[in-house]
Amino acid sequence: MDIVEVNLGRRSYPVYIGGRLKDIGKIASTFSIGKKVLIISSDRIFSLYGDMVRDALSASGFDVYLARIPEGERYKSLTWASRLYARCLEVKLDRSSTILALGGGVIGDLAGFVASTFLRGINFVVVPTTLLAQVDASVGGKVAVNLPQGKNLVGSFYQPNFVYIDLAVLASLRPREIRSGLAEVVKYGMIEDKELFSFLEKNSARIKRLDEETLHFIVSRSVKIKAKVVEEDEREEKGRRQILNFGHTIGHAIEATAGYRSYRHGEAVAIGMVAAARLSLRMKSFPLSSFVRLKSLLERLNLPVALRKGIDTDELYNTLYLDKKVRGGRLHFVLPKDIGSVFLTKDVPSPLIRKVLKELAE
Ligand SMILES: NC(=O)c1ccc[n+]([C@@H]2O[C@H](COP(=O)([O-])OP(=O)(O)OC[C@H]3O[C@@H](n4cnc5c(N)ncnc54)[C@H](O)[C@@H]3O)[C@@H](O)[C@H]2O)c1
């Protein structure tokens, strides 16, 4: 098992990578996280892994309770947060108690939001069960719920006590969800780690058959990059954390324009990365050979590199300007300089953005 430390002073915590769920109790008992643990999960995930986590915690002396939420992004809501507060009161959690999120990013964000606000904040443990949550959502402390007006509009920064990653849980994940997580791994390669990028190029077959050693390498490399960036700019105030948004400016607009249904987050990010790379290529800031490598890696991982039919690119363009990344009417982009290196810019000409969006739809 690897341990990646996220160093944030008093809010520091370890990410355990490659542990087994049956051993989580022993690890949990080394933390001061009280005696009561409320597991927040969904029926599907709890039926697969819940007993293992519950039994492991009980065997280590914890009193374990369960709260189930339905599956889907729309339950990451204030309505479900209040139902969870009611459950916390019902089982009499106190300020020394713990909420444990067992699930993907939706459960992690919602459970973290409840942990950060119930009694002004109680202990929080994350056991991410999707690749996307393992490499991205579970690390960094962003917790949130959605409002009808938009995603993640109410939330906070709230770091967990620890994150526990068992790679074996990825075996039951739908292939599309694996691909969605892989897009974020490609992102880490592009922004910071050309060796990781080359590794992905050479090992796509092993990745696709979920070889555990290969997954261990890519998850641990990704978590290390995310941890480093978060350490340098925990609350996204210094510009550094913005590099994690590579592919997300246009990616978010694609998700929003398509109504958050037809694209998984990682699929939209994959197209967003190709779009950012095209912009940079046209601005003569990114070599053609690297553009070709990015596009072929995404294709080899079965990720989309162009828009599916049915998206109106004018609508997509207008949605872009509603983004959080617009300041003073100008869009802030993270563009690639080469594999493993990006730069921030607000100087992308609007006609070029329109042109690239049209190219993505061809
Ligand atoms: N906090 C952050 O920094 C951050 C970063 C990225 C994304 N997010 C959030 O994460 C969410 C997306 O997360 P996600 O992609 O993990 O989606 P998700 O949580 O919706 O999970 C995807 C699907 O996989 C199922 N599933 C999960 N684990 C499984 C397993 N091991 N076996 C079988 N099925 C399993 C779930 O039930 C669900 O149907 C979004 O709400 C997004 O806003 C947060």
Side-chain angles (χ1 to χ4, degrees):
M1 184 162 67
D2 253 357
I3 305 175
V4 177
E5 191 69 27
V6 186
N7 294 302
L8 294 167
R10 279 177 35 247
R11 294 179 308 288
S12 297
Y13 57 97
V15 181
Y16 296 92
I17 303 170
R20 288 289 177 238
L21 291 182
K22 68 177 175 46
D23 299 323
I24 193 173
K26 281 176 243 153
I27 298 285
S29 54
T30 64
F31 289 82
S32 311
I33 55 167
K35 202 166 153 51
K36 285 189 175 182
V37 179
L38 176 68
I39 300 177
I40 299 183
S41 194
S42 69
D43 278 338
R44 184 214 298 249
I45 300 166
F46 196 81
S47 68
L48 288 165
Y49 305 112
D51 287 343
M52 223 184 300
V53 175
R54 180 168 50 191
D55 294 351
L57 291 169
S58 303
S60 294
F62 291 97
D63 296 334
V64 188
Y65 305 88
L66 175 65
R68 291 169 200 259
I69 56 167
E71 240 178 58
E73 181 74 37
R74 69 176 184 284
Y75 300 103
K76 204 175 101 176
S77 65
L78 284 171
T79 307
W80 276 87
S82 14
R83 288 184 188 166
L84 289 170
Y85 296 136
R87 182 73 180 136
C88 293
L89 290 169
E90 193 176 71
V91 302
K92 301 191 169 49
L93 296 195
D94 61 31
R95 294 198 72 184
S96 70
S97 308
T98 295
I99 282 179
L100 183 148
L102 176 66
V106 165
I107 286 174
D109 279 11
L110 172 62
F113 178 77
V114 171
S116 78
T117 42
F118 183 68
L119 304 180
R120 297 200 180 85
I122 64 173
N123 297 308
F124 178 43
V125 170
V126 196
V127 182
T129 61
T130 63
L131 183 59
L132 184 121
Q134 295 186 347
V135 298
D136 187 2
S138 65
V139 178
K142 282 189 180 178
V143 297
V145 293
N146 303 326
L147 293 181
Q149 292 86 342
K151 269 192 71 168
N152 299 328
L153 289 180
V154 179
S156 63
F157 288 93
Y158 196 67
Q159 304 295 345
N161 297 67
F162 70 94
V163 179
Y164 193 82
I165 297 178
D166 181 346
L167 298 159
V169 303
L170 300 179
S172 56
L173 207 55
R174 285 179 287 243
R176 198 172 173 196
E177 301 297 343
I178 296 282
R179 291 199 292 272
S180 181
L182 284 174
E184 296 288 353
V185 179
V186 173
K187 176 193 82 179
Y188 289 120
M190 283 298 295
I191 61 175
E192 204 63 5
D193 190 345
K194 59 176 191 276
E195 276 174 28
L196 172 61
F197 192 93
S198 306
F199 182 89
L200 296 172
E201 289 179 309
K202 290 192 198 100
N203 291 282
S204 57
R206 281 204 181 87
I207 294 169
K208 283 192 209 163
R209 60 167 191 270
L210 301 183
D211 171 65
E212 199 165 321
E213 210 179 307
T214 311
L215 290 175
H216 192 122
F217 180 82
I218 63 175
V219 170
S220 132
R221 257 334 235 241
S222 302
V223 167
K224 279 180 191 147
I225 297 170
K226 175 110 191 225
K228 188 169 114 211
V229 174
V230 168
E231 283 167 8
E232 287 165 8
D233 184 14
E234 184 184 1
R235 299 176 73 94
E236 217 167 308
E237 288 157 347
K238 302 178 195 156
R240 176 74 173 139
R241 198 165 172 164
Q242 280 173 34
I243 69 167
L244 297 172
N245 290 331
F246 174 57
H248 285 62
T249 312
I250 291 180
H252 279 154
I254 294 172
E255 284 183 279
T257 311
Y260 296 102
R261 274 184 301 273
S262 34
Y263 290 88
R264 291 300 297 147
H265 177 68
E267 293 170 339
V269 168
I271 303 170
M273 288 193 283
V274 173
R278 266 182 203 274
L279 290 171
S280 197
L281 182 70
R282 300 251 186 270
M283 291 163 71
K284 306 217 178 323
S285 310
F286 186 54
L288 178 61
S289 55
S290 300
F291 176 76
V292 172
R293 279 179 71 190
L294 170 63
K295 200 157 161 266
S296 32
L297 175 59
L298 293 170
E299 281 168 340
R300 217 172 311 154
L301 297 172
N302 301 115
L303 280 158
V305 294
L307 292 167
R308 286 195 281 269
K309 299 234 169 323
I311 284 207
D312 176 353
T313 53
D314 290 327
E315 194 186 334
L316 182 56
Y317 179 84
N318 293 334
T319 308
L320 259 180
Y321 281 87
L322 300 174
D323 197 273
K324 288 195 279 260
K325 292 169 227 45
V326 177
R327 273 166 234 134
R330 294 175 107 181
L331 262 177
H332 288 228
F333 273 101
V334 184
L335 297 186
K337 214 185 295 177
D338 209 338
I339 309 287
S341 149
V342 287
F343 65 102
L344 306 180
T345 179
K346 46 184 174 14
D347 296 325
V348 183
S350 301
L352 182 59
I353 300 175
R354 274 194 191 275
K355 185 169 158 28
V356 162
L357 293 182
K358 291 237 175 319
E359 284 171 1
L360 285 180
E362 278 164 7

